[in-house]
């Protein structure tokens, strides 16, 4: 499709513009690519005739030239249908069929081609990336600024977490994607002055939702953020902050030429379904190496969340191994300071004992290094290949299941390379990897087959640290399934059944204000193929038997995920299927109860289902209820409470 548009009154003071459109396979999502009178490439996104992104900038400023203006579209490919079918055990659905229309556009400056734009348009997802070309005799480039912009319509409201300033927080470890979300805020702000972490969610003034993120980021680029650009009146892609990694290394990425930059992904739709259900971060990336073994996912326990550092001792870890075995869980996470408080010899002994109980161990590591002051050991191992590989060999020989590496140093290119190097080495030794105090995973579930999950969220540790976090637990829980967790596995470490975050489960310190049904519901709402729940051995006797029974059986792998109802910051209800069993889970953060007649077409009319629900005092109960003739079920969730419905699929 080729047409001439007249932009007589445009801010660009342009006379004529050519535009190409790429349409989704179902015809509802339309992306238009054009070049304005200044020779600046632009794109826009429409869905069902509504504008989701107004004409927004494309282009790059590199040390090989300014490729943001003075460009012309010198060539374009035909529109090609691309499809892919893949299985991934660790994401929101076990099998994905991806279909999109793809077109390539070549942009030239002074008649020399400078980059190609690869654009893919699926039914609800736009993905594009740049292929930077050699200019004259250059074979490498430093990207000084990525011009990619996101111009949201006036009246759009935002749901985003600010990027924190560097070298702040605990032991100067920020940014680590652990800031609180703002909801229903107007566009035009810039977080705490440093923009926002991906993904970013927006509500369109005409109705509908937009999710913006990036994927396919590895050591070949830096991790990016979303910045507000006041001069352009729109958001744009931003590079890391100067101060990250203790101020060392450049914020600008380097690439070989020709070379790809990471994918920018935009998911749009009339409801939150396409956002919750998107597989865009995985659709456009490729596996970077083969798995060295079949990896074992599943549930586990960890003492640190209730017992903190002091609990990392031999006897307490033994008790948690017995607890995990009693729950039917297959792992225990041994957290920080095990190197000094337990020692390598006795960890080997723990691993042998755990194995005899059918339990595997995850060991915690500090990523440092020189990029912050986090003091916990083991340190000085994961940051260099020789020590790291020697350590991983020891883990392999002792049957360790995986590692949890904490306290990373931001998003500059060398740090992104460290994530990849840890993953690649761990695969050589058959280890699963969980990251904490870290960046957002960007397609890593598919790229690295031994990648399990990342924190990159204000996670359960904060519930222990402060009553304020406990009081806001429900509010945050209604946001994550719509934002952070939509693009990657989220290691939250929650679902506590203790009333108090201490080993005695007695008054003192933080008090949990959410219900037991809420705890069970978040075990379903928060997706990660490996879950270390914040349960304590005492819960075998001090928590309701039905709650413990559910925590024994809850899956961590899902075949399907569906949005059912909700609004970020208010309440959320999602459905996830494992095999033949559907789990519909919801939590409510609003003062007033949420009462909904839920449409549940996954069940038969008259079918009996198991329903966990709360009364107005947050006392939980379990009942068998029948789905009505119209395949609906009436549920109610009080503030800080939840609901959970379990039944065989139709
Ligand atoms: Ca953390």
């Amino acid at each position: 499709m080729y047409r001439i548009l007249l932009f007589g009154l445009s801010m660009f003071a342009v006379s004529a513009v050519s535009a190409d459109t790429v349409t989704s396979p179902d015809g509802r999502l339309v992306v238009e690519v054009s070049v304005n009178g200044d020779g600046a490439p632009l794109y826009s996104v429409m869905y069902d005739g509504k504008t989701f992104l107004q004409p927004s900038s494309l282009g790059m400023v590199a040390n090989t030239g300014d490729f943001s203006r003075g460009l012309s579209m010198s060539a374009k490919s035909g529109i090609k249908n691309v499809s892919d079918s893949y299985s991934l055990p660790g994401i929101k659905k076990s099998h994905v069929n991806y279909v999109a229309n793809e077109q390539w556009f070549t942009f030239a400056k002074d008649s020399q081609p400078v980059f190609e734009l690869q654009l893919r348009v699926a039914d609800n997802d736009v993905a594009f990336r740049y292929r930077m070309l050699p200019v004259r005799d250059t074979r490498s480039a430093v990207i000084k600024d990525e011009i990619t912009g996101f111009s949201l319509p006036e009246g759009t409201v935002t749901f985003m977490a600010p990027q924190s300033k560097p070298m702040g927080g605990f032991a100067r470890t920020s940014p680590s994607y652990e800031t609180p979300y703002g909801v229903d805020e107007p566009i035009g702000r810039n977080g705490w002055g440093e923009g926002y972490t991906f993904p970013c969610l927006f509500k369109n003034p005409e109705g509908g939702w937009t999710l913006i993120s990036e994927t396919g980021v590895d050591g070949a680029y830096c991790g990016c953020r979303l910045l507000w650009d006041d001069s352009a009146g729109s958001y744009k892609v931003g590079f890391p902050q100067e101060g990250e990694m203790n101020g060392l290394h450049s914020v600008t990425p380097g690439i070989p030429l020709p070379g790809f930059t990471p994918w920018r992904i935009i998911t749009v739709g009339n409801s939150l379904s396409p956002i919750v259900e998107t597989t865009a971060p995985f659709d456009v990336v490729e596996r970077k190496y083969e798995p060295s073994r079949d990896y074992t996912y599943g549930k586990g326990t960890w003492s640190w969340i209730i017992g903190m550092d002091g609990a990392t001792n031999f006897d307490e870890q033994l008790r948690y191994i017995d607890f995990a075995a009693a729950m039917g869980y297959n792992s225990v996470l041994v957290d920080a300071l095990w190197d000094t408080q337990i020692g390598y010899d006795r960890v080997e002994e723990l691993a042998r004992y755990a194995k005899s109980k059918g339990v595997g161990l995850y060991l915690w590591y500090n990523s440092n290094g020189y990029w912050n002051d986090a003091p916990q050991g083991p340190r000085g191992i994961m940051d260099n290949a020789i020590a790291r590989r020697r350590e991983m060999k020891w883990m392999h020989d002792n049957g360790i299941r995986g590692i949890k590496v904490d306290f990373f140093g931001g998003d500059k290119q060398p740090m992104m390379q460290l994530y990849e190097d840890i993953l690649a080495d761990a695969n050589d030794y058959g280890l699963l990897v969980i990251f904490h105090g870290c960046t957002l995973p960007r397609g890593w579930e598919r790229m690295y087959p031994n990648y399990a999950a990342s924190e990159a969220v204000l996670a359960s540790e904060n519930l222990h640290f402060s009553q304020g976090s406990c009081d806001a637990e429900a509010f945050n829980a209604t946001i994550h399934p719509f934002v952070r967790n939509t693009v990657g596995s989220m290691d939250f470490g929650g679902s506590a059944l203790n009333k108090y975050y201490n080993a005695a489960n007695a008054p003192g310190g933080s008090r949990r204000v959410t219900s037991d049904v809420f705890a069970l519901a978040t075990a379903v709402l928060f997706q990660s193929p490996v879950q270390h729940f914040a349960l304590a051995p005492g819960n075998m006797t001090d928590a309701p038997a039905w709650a413990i029974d559910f925590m024994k059986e809850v899956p961590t792998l899902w075949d399907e995920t569906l949005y059912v109802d909700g609004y970020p910051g208010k309440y959320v209800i999602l459905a996830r299927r494992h095999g033949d069993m559907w789990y519909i889970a919801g939590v409510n953060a609003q003062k007033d109860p949420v009462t909904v007649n839920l449409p549940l077409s996954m069940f038969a009319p008259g079918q009996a289902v198991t329903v966990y629900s709360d009364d107005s005092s947050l006392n939980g109960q379990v009942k068998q209820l029948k789905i009505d003739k119209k395949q609906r079920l009436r549920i109610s969730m009080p503030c800080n409470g939840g609901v959970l419905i379990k039944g065989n699929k139709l």
Side-chain angles (χ1 to χ4, degrees), residues 178 406 436-437 455 457 459 461:
E178 295 172 308
D406 207 338
H436 260 242
E455 185 184 34
V457 68
E461 58 195 32

Side-chain angles (χ1 to χ4, degrees), residues 298-474:
K299 300 186 285 286
T301 63
W302 58 313
S303 62
W304 187 87
I305 186 62
I306 301 293
M308 300 270 111
D309 289 351
T312 307
N313 64 68
F314 185 86
D315 290 344
E316 191 66 353
Q317 297 313 304
L318 215 55
R319 196 163 79 99
Y320 268 77
I321 292 166
D322 287 339
F323 173 44
M327 290 295 290
Y329 289 5
N330 69 16
S331 73
V332 164
L333 163 63
V334 182
D335 219 280
L337 301 169
W338 60 264
D339 57 332
T340 47
Q341 295 181 182
I342 299 175
Y344 281 75
D345 290 349
R346 299 212 82 193
V347 162
E348 291 179 12
E349 200 178 324
L350 277 178
R352 281 194 297 275
Y353 179 74
K355 193 182 176 200
S356 76
K357 297 273 183 173
V359 173
L361 299 185
Y362 285 79
L363 297 181
W364 184 96
Y365 286 86
N366 192 326
S367 82
N368 266 333
Y370 53 78
W371 33 86
N372 58 47
D373 305 325
Q376 289 91 340
R379 300 180 69 222
I381 294 171
M382 286 299 145
D383 63 306
N384 94 75
I386 297 168
R388 182 170 65 226
R389 292 181 65 85
R390 187 190 299 133
E391 188 87 352
M392 288 175 172
K393 168 80 165 58
W394 168 78
M395 282 188 259
H396 176 266
D397 293 347
N398 286 283
I400 300 300
R401 170 77 48 81
I403 53 175
K404 168 182 168 178
V405 190
D406 207 338
F407 299 132
F408 283 85
D411 290 343
K412 289 178 180 174
Q413 190 169 9
M415 193 55 52
M416 303 312 286
Q417 186 64 55
L418 178 65
Y419 286 105
E420 179 169 275
D421 292 347
I422 290 172
L423 284 159
D425 284 347
N427 183 58
D428 287 348
Y429 296 99
L431 300 164
L432 277 168
V433 180
I434 297 168
F435 293 124
H436 260 242
C438 59
T439 196
L440 181 79
R442 292 156 164 97
W444 295 357
E445 287 86 343
R446 191 169 185 195
M447 292 158 68
Y448 311 112
N450 60 323
Y451 168 80
S454 297
E455 185 184 34
V457 68
L458 209 48
S460 62
E461 58 195 32
N462 297 283
L463 300 170
H464 190 130
F465 296 150
S466 85
Q467 187 60 43
S469 291
C470 284
D471 295 344
E473 184 185 4

Side-chain angles (χ1 to χ4, degrees), residues 87-120:
S87 295
L88 261 191
I91 64 167
K92 62 184 81 171
K93 65 193 291 195
S94 56
H95 193 84
V96 178
N97 289 311
Y98 172 66
V99 187
N101 288 327
E102 179 182 271
Q103 190 167 14
W104 291 72
F105 303 93
T106 306
F107 293 89
K109 188 164 195 175
D110 304 326
S111 31
Q112 150 107 49
V114 290
F115 68 78
E116 295 166 326
L117 181 77
Q118 181 186 10
L119 171 65
R120 285 193 181 179

Side-chain angles (χ1 to χ4, degrees), residues 16 23 30 32 40 42 53 66 68 86 141 168 177 188 209 242 364 396 412 414-415 436 465 490 492 524 567 570:
T23 303
V30 179
E32 191 171 274
L42 302 168
L53 285 182
D66 180 345
S68 66
Y86 61 94
Y177 292 65
W209 297 83
E242 201 76 45
W364 184 96
H396 176 266
K412 289 178 180 174
M415 193 55 52
H436 260 242
F465 296 150
M490 182 175 82
F492 191 86
V524 174
Y567 187 96
K570 294 180 177 175

Side-chain angles (χ1 to χ4, degrees), residues 85-342:
S85 180
Y86 61 94
S87 295
L88 261 191
I91 64 167
K92 62 184 81 171
K93 65 193 291 195
S94 56
H95 193 84
V96 178
N97 289 311
Y98 172 66
V99 187
N101 288 327
E102 179 182 271
Q103 190 167 14
W104 291 72
F105 303 93
T106 306
F107 293 89
K109 188 164 195 175
D110 304 326
S111 31
Q112 150 107 49
V114 290
F115 68 78
E116 295 166 326
L117 181 77
Q118 181 186 10
L119 171 65
R120 285 193 181 179
V121 185
D123 284 349
N124 292 95
D125 301 302
V126 179
F128 62 85
R129 62 176 174 171
Y130 303 88
R131 183 170 179 265
M132 304 304 294
L133 300 173
V135 180
R136 296 173 301 277
D137 53 358
T138 57
R139 289 293 175 272
S140 64
V142 176
I143 307 298
K144 292 161 78 177
D145 191 15
E146 179 166 335
I147 302 302
T148 308
F150 307 95
S151 178
L152 291 135
E154 186 69 39
T156 296
V157 293
T158 72
F159 303 78
M160 303 196 281
Q163 183 73 300
S164 49
K165 292 210 185 284
M167 305 308 286
F170 172 74
R172 302 196 301 157
T173 55
S174 69
S176 42
Y177 292 65
E178 295 172 308
T179 60
Y181 279 86
V183 298
D184 282 315
E185 292 181 349
I187 53 170
R189 298 179 182 174
N190 196 34
W192 300 340
E194 299 297 342
Y196 301 91
T197 61
F198 287 123
C200 300
L201 180 67
F202 303 92
K203 185 166 168 258
N204 190 290
E206 294 182 80
W209 297 83
T210 306
L211 186 78
I212 296 176
S213 197
E214 62 175 352
T215 192
V217 183
D218 55 20
Y221 212 72
C222 55
C224 291
R225 56 192 160 127
L226 192 76
L227 291 176
W228 176 256
D229 178 355
D230 223 16
S231 63
S234 72
Y235 297 97
K236 75 177 287 293
V237 166
F239 287 155
Q241 303 167 68
E242 201 76 45
E244 291 176 28
M245 285 189 90
N246 219 347
L248 294 161
H249 306 292
S250 173
V251 303
T252 56
I255 60 168
L257 297 175
F260 283 108
T261 63
W263 292 95
R264 309 294 158 211
I265 48 175
I266 303 154
T267 300
V268 299
N270 292 328
S271 76
L272 285 161
S273 298
I275 310 294
V276 166
E277 297 161 23
T278 186
T279 52
F282 318 109
D283 293 337
V284 293
V285 301
E286 286 170 7
R287 183 181 266 187
K288 299 197 74 178
Y289 50 72
E290 291 304 308
S292 66
R293 58 179 291 178
D294 282 336
Y295 288 102
T296 304
Y297 304 100
K299 300 186 285 286
T301 63
W302 58 313
S303 62
W304 187 87
I305 186 62
I306 301 293
M308 300 270 111
D309 289 351
T312 307
N313 64 68
F314 185 86
D315 290 344
E316 191 66 353
Q317 297 313 304
L318 215 55
R319 196 163 79 99
Y320 268 77
I321 292 166
D322 287 339
F323 173 44
M327 290 295 290
Y329 289 5
N330 69 16
S331 73
V332 164
L333 163 63
V334 182
D335 219 280
L337 301 169
W338 60 264
D339 57 332
T340 47
Q341 295 181 182
I342 299 175

